Amino acid sequence: MGVHLLFHMNEGQGDTSYARNSIIQKKIISVARETTKEAILDLYCAIKPERLSIADLGCSSGPNALQQISDIIDFVYQKCRQLGHPSPEFQCFLNDLPSNDFNTVFYSLPEFYEKLRREKGTDFGPCFVFGVPGSFYERLFTKRSLHFVLSSSSLHWLSQVPVDLDSGRRTSPHLNKGKLYISKTSPPCVLRSYLQQFQCDFLAFLASRSQEIIAGGRMVLTLMGRRSGDPADHEEYCFQWELLSNALMDMVSEGLIEEEKVDSLNSPYYSPSPEELNQVVQSEGSFTVDRLENFEVEFNASLNGTDDNNESKGHRVAKSMRAVVEPMLDGHFGGKVMDDLFYRYGVHLQEYISQKRPKLTNLLVSMVRNG
């Protein structure tokens, strides 16, 4: 099955759902908040539109799905009051793949609208929220219809597994045996394939947005990235995938999973360096970067800041990863092994966390659509 069908976060409100295990993504949104505020107010003050169209690409579901939209509305509303201007109407688009749990998002809209009315009164907006299922690597909106585009913790996910690594589309032997992602044991051709897929996908993303965003419109994006030029740096970038691969190979050694199954799976994921990302922006040519920086988030930010004697840090961190990748792994290995796999993963994580203080590097980029 294609990535567009298999790739989505765990649904609902259960113990392993994305809604209950997305604290680290909330932290990333918080870090980007000031950059988002600066970009949207620069845009608003420059054009003062009667209707402000905003798109959040890769919105997922759960408590984070409306957070950035809510922040932008607050920023603009406060600026309007400061300037004595009437509030614009807000047209807000929430995009993700068709398999996303949009129903959970839609169920939260009445409360969201009521909160806006209660806090901002009758001189506000109004605000209209729409769901837009589809891949953000393709066109999603009409020409020159958007003022502001957001994407948080999404663009490190590729449109597909690199072609050379996709077992369904190649005839050569497995190139990345025993691994789900780039590692120190990966041959150079694996690294090249991942970089080429990222370049192709990010170019398509920019080309699509260049058609949809008005001249002078803005984008603020965050995605997993890296600081150095080495995509196989285990300590900084690959440890979470490396440890998950180790848990799978433990199960192979006990005859619980076929080795072929592990060898044939590669994740549709890439964490670029700032230089790699900027190179694609310059190559596409429709946008000017006005901010590109990296920042670190504690990997155990998903622990909610609480101590639970009944569950180790490693197992709590494993839940945050499970909430994101379980549907992909379930589709490949089958649901019966998921509990065992993520328990083992938690053990590996606990050992790793006890020795190190792992952090995740993120890229934050703000850009302007050229006129």
Side-chain angles (χ1 to χ4, degrees), residues 281-317:
V281 176
Q282 292 181 357
S283 174
E284 197 280 329
S286 299
F287 295 89
T288 297
V289 173
D290 62 6
R291 178 174 295 184
L292 174 56
E293 58 192 43
N294 50 46
F295 62 92
E296 291 182 336
V297 175
E298 291 279 351
F299 192 50
N300 63 359
S302 56
L303 303 185
N304 298 299
T306 62
D307 288 321
D308 183 349
N309 294 327
N310 296 320
E311 192 171 43
S312 73
K313 289 183 177 181
H315 285 99
R316 283 178 284 177
V317 173

Side-chain angles (χ1 to χ4, degrees), residues 222-234:
T222 62
L223 65 156
M224 296 297 179
R226 63 181 200 274
R227 296 179 184 274
S228 80
D230 183 6
D233 188 332
H234 176 271

